[in-house]
Amino acid sequence: MTVETFYQVMRRQGITRRSFTKFCSLTAAALGLSPAHAQQIATAMETKPRLPVLWLHGLECTCCSESFIRSAHPLAKDVILSMISLDYDDTIMAAAGHQAESIIDETIAKYNGNYILACEGNPPLNQEGMSCIIGGRPYLEQLRKAAANCKAIISWGSCASWGCVQAARPNPTQATPIHKVPGLAPKPIIKVPGCPPIAEVMTAVVAYIVTFERFPELDAQGRPKMFYSQRIHDKCYRRPHFDAGQFVEAFDDEGARRGYCLYKVGCKGPTTYNACSTVRWNGGLSFPIQAGHPCIGCSEDGFWDKGDFYNRLSRIHGFGIEATADEIGGTAALAVGGLAAVHAGISAVKRAREKTGADQ
Amino acid sequence: MAMHAPQQEMQSAVYVYEAPVRIWHWINALAIVVLCVTGYFIGSPPPSVGGEASDHYLFGTIRFAHFVAAYALIIGFLFRIYWAWAGNDHAREIFLPPLARGSFWREILHEIRWYAMIEKAPKRYAGHNPLAIISMHILFVWLAVFMIVTGLALYGEGTGPGSWQHRFFSDWVIPLFGQSQTVHTWHHLGLWVIVCFVIVHIYAAVREDIMSGQSIISSMFSGWRTFRVVKGERAEP
């Protein structure tokens, strides 16, 4: 059996040569590559066999898949879905039941050491993994087996990258991000966090891996630098209002109507590494801040455990009740100040008494 | 230690704080005040200003003042470390406390008893007393290191990958804490530790000045520590 190239598959699916070239240029631009690389991407698509991908789902909400199939350009999703040979993805595959599960074994046997393992969601470790059962077995087993024979792992979304809401305190099922799963084969992992990640970011990451047969350059936390090296804040179009000191004080106030900075109503843009303020969502239409809502920092580790989304200062755990740094520090400063005042009073009395004693 | 000849029957003095230490102390104090005030406002900005965004740069100015004061503190701190090595014995007291010496801890206990009003008279020290040394070592020196490291890591997020702040600080500090927001929270808690330190520091200085028979506050201006003999106490420092 001859293996089809991406290009052959795309043409078979009715994508024109012109659309294909457009996609290659767009992807090169999204990846921050020079125009010359568009040709390199095109050549790769035309000559390389399709990349087999196992797309496993653990504890997750499928928002990553939903985002992925809604890639801005209708073309992009067609291209990507033809580009990768998505051998297994229980959400969008036709097969079901035992037939579907057997595909995993087939893929492992056929492409041993050469397929990409895309993880959406994460495995729970407590109760022997019983909180996530796929085909009658714990997801943890499926994950370990697929990881042992793969070439590399893509951690899609905040679940696979950081744990996300199912790992929120007290994390009863011990939902664990992929890179922290014990006993997992030591394969290279790329994190594409976000809840969900931006569709164009997902497709561009896949396009890069297909074209160059390696991961794009990663930062210290394993995220692709081209999309996660700057904060939302750094490219936010409301940044001038931040610098000017013009803030939304409450939703629906005059500042909100004028599109002021959302910092005071809890925007996490200054601490969130993602491409929302440049790539935006839904075909570049908008992103949360543009819609008047503060960024909740969904692509950051632990964003679900920082307290109120609408408070700039995080809640700190471990003080019985939760409190902000200001509440804890202010109380401590008052206590210290009060103690100093009391101490000063006692000292004064003592000194006065000693003086009286000395005079007598 | 060169003891000065008693100017009066009841007074003696010793030169403790050299000029560079004194200048550093007051620059550092000013920097800390600016850092605390602007730092608080960075966490909780002042009320919004109206009009066009291009007419104002209020929050930018607050942040700029924070960064300028931070650099003043950092450069001052580096200089102070150098001076701990180059200056007199007192200059390295707060950097290298004799933690391994048993008498040091006994004297700390004595000092605590003096503050608890159990001891009738304090022991006299030309430089800092042992309790002051240990407090400054932990609450000033190490806190300053913590604030400088986390502060530069946060600053590096703005200057971006490739900048020295990012390469030497953000790159490892942010992952160490998990994410940027957590670094912000700890840096903010550090502000309140500094505030507590300042309260205790100023209170203890004023109290010692009045009650222990040795000059504290004026010493940080003149460099000389003078001793008054208090009743019921050994005259020898």
Side-chain angles (χ1 to χ4, degrees):
Chain A
M1 180 189 100
T2 50
V3 185
E4 280 184 305
T5 64
F6 309 112
Y7 184 61
Q8 284 167 332
V9 176
M10 281 185 235
R11 291 308 298 265
R12 186 159 52 76
Q13 295 195 347
I15 292 166
T16 61
R17 171 82 198 170
R18 183 179 166 79
S19 296
F20 167 71
T21 318
K22 256 186 183 171
F23 165 78
C24 294
S25 317
L26 275 171
T27 305
L31 290 165
L33 302 171
S34 71
H37 284 88
Q39 188 53 45
Q40 206 174 332
I41 293 172
T43 310
M45 303 274 169
E46 285 164 353
T47 54
K48 288 183 185 173
R50 293 203 296 163
L51 186 71
V53 174
L54 281 184
W55 187 307
L56 301 188
H57 299 251
L59 290 181
E60 45 89 351
C61 72
T62 317
C63 73
C64 299
S65 292
E66 291 290 342
S67 175
F68 188 67
I69 60 175
R70 277 165 183 72
S71 232
H73 226 265
L75 167 73
K77 76 157 198 285
D78 295 340
V79 169
I80 292 292
L81 288 179
S82 15
M83 197 160 96
I84 58 174
S85 157
L86 201 52
D87 290 354
Y88 178 93
D89 183 337
D90 51 32
T91 311
I92 52 177
M93 70 200 295
H98 293 297
Q99 198 190 1
E101 297 311 310
S102 66
I103 294 173
I104 296 185
D105 294 327
E106 280 170 29
T107 305
I108 291 174
K110 194 171 163 191
Y111 301 105
N112 196 350
N114 285 313
Y115 62 89
I116 297 287
L117 173 61
C119 294
E120 184 175 348
N122 57 31
L125 302 183
N126 277 357
Q127 299 95 35
E128 294 172 69
M130 290 303 160
S131 304
C132 186
I133 301 287
I134 312 273
R137 304 294 307 164
Y139 167 62
L140 189 57
E141 284 181 17
Q142 191 189 46
L143 175 68
R144 281 193 179 133
K145 189 176 169 194
N149 300 289
C150 74
K151 187 180 183 185
I153 299 172
I154 302 177
S155 285
W156 284 141
S158 292
C159 298
S161 300
W162 309 125
C164 212
V165 287
Q166 63 272 40
R169 284 162 63 92
N171 193 2
T173 64
Q174 211 195 331
T176 306
I178 302 302
H179 66 287
K180 287 184 180 165
V181 173
L184 204 69
K187 297 293 162 85
I189 297 178
I190 182 172
K191 297 193 190 99
V192 188
C195 193
I198 302 169
E200 286 72 18
V201 169
M202 299 175 82
T203 51
V205 165
V206 171
Y208 191 101
I209 296 172
V210 165
T211 308
F212 300 102
E213 291 181 345
R214 57 178 159 85
F215 280 161
E217 203 181 337
L218 306 182
D219 69 4
Q221 286 168 290
R223 302 170 294 193
K225 274 186 178 172
M226 67 268 276
F227 299 113
Y228 295 91
S229 62
Q230 277 192 314
R231 301 167 297 175
I232 304 291
H233 187 60
D234 294 320
K235 290 281 184 291
C236 183
Y237 78 103
R238 296 196 185 199
R239 180 64 187 263
H241 294 296
F242 172 85
D243 289 329
Q246 298 178 317
F247 301 101
V248 174
E249 307 280 347
F251 290 108
D252 292 334
D253 71 356
E254 186 58 26
R257 276 187 283 276
R258 287 172 182 237
Y260 284 175
C261 172
L262 295 155
Y263 188 77
K264 273 182 152 179
V265 285
C267 186
K268 302 297 185 297
T271 56
T272 303
Y273 289 81
N274 208 335
C276 304
S277 51
T278 44
V279 177
R280 307 196 182 193
W281 289 81
N282 302 323
L285 178 71
S286 183
F287 72 114
I289 293 168
Q290 193 172 344
H293 191 282
C295 167
I296 65 170
C298 77
S299 56
E300 287 294 316
D301 190 4
F303 80 89
W304 52 88
D305 269 340
K306 302 292 173 205
D308 199 345
F309 286 151
Y310 303 102
N311 197 336
R312 176 58 214 156
L313 303 175
S314 286
R315 299 256 139 207
I316 300 162
H317 303 280
F319 284 83
I321 49 161
E322 292 174 18
T324 64
D326 276 349
E327 286 159 6
I328 294 167
T331 310
L334 272 179
V336 170
L339 281 175
V342 169
H343 198 266
I346 298 173
S347 301
V349 170
K350 180 184 172 227
R351 189 172 159 76
R353 211 178 269 167
E354 276 169 8
K355 264 202 176 152
T356 332
D359 292 344
Q360 280 165 1
Chain B
M1 158 192 341
M3 285 296 288
H4 216 66
Q7 289 159 350
Q8 293 172 19
E9 208 178 73
M10 305 292 276
Q11 229 178 31
S12 62
V14 57
Y15 190 59
V16 178
Y17 304 117
E18 296 158 292
V21 173
R22 284 163 9 227
I23 294 167
W24 167 76
H25 176 271
W26 293 113
I27 290 175
N28 195 50
L30 181 68
I32 286 175
V33 171
V34 174
L35 283 165
C36 285
V37 173
T38 53
Y40 180 81
F41 279 129
I42 289 169
S44 308
S48 290
V49 293
E52 284 293 321
S54 54
D55 291 338
H56 303 281
Y57 197 62
L58 177 64
F59 205 55
T61 308
I62 290 174
R63 293 174 68 245
F64 181 69
H66 193 78
F67 302 146
V68 169
Y71 271 120
L73 181 128
I74 292 166
I75 292 163
F77 192 73
L78 292 176
F79 166 77
R80 187 64 182 77
I81 290 172
Y82 159 74
W83 198 256
W85 171 74
N88 65 16
D89 284 346
H90 300 300
R92 63 188 118 288
E93 273 173 354
I94 64 167
F95 288 91
L96 294 168
L99 298 173
R101 218 170 61 203
S103 64
F104 178 69
W105 293 99
R106 276 193 298 280
E107 287 177 49
I108 286 180
L109 194 67
H110 181 277
E111 203 64 28
I112 291 171
R113 287 164 65 85
W114 155 245
Y115 278 105
M117 327 243 176
I118 299 168
E119 291 291 337
K120 274 196 117 74
K123 284 194 171 146
R124 292 183 151 187
Y125 300 92
H128 296 99
N129 71 54
L131 187 61
I133 288 176
I134 197 76
S135 310
M136 294 215 193
H137 183 68
I138 297 167
L139 288 175
F140 176 73
V141 175
W142 286 110
L143 184 69
V145 169
F146 177 80
M147 294 305 269
I148 289 169
V149 169
T150 52
L152 282 173
L154 294 173
Y155 188 69
E157 296 194 288
T159 52
S163 66
W164 65 266
Q165 295 94 339
H166 196 279
R167 190 177 312 154
F168 296 119
F169 295 95
S170 316
D171 247 0
W172 63 274
V173 175
I174 306 286
L176 184 70
F177 282 82
Q179 61 140 303
S180 171
Q181 178 74 12
T182 316
V183 183
H184 277 268
T185 302
W186 281 98
H187 193 71
H188 200 103
L189 278 172
L191 152 70
W192 288 106
V193 178
I194 289 263
V195 169
C196 290
F197 170 78
V198 168
I199 294 171
V200 172
H201 180 66
I202 293 173
Y203 170 64
V206 171
R207 183 179 189 273
E208 287 299 287
D209 209 294
I210 298 170
M211 294 191 55
S212 75
Q214 46 200 323
S215 71
I216 304 283
I217 298 166
S218 63
S219 306
M220 204 33 100
F221 290 100
S222 70
W224 289 88
R225 172 144 298 147
T226 55
F227 297 93
R228 282 171 282 122
V229 174
V230 176
K231 195 178 153 73
E233 173 192 42
R234 293 180 305 280
E236 190 58 36

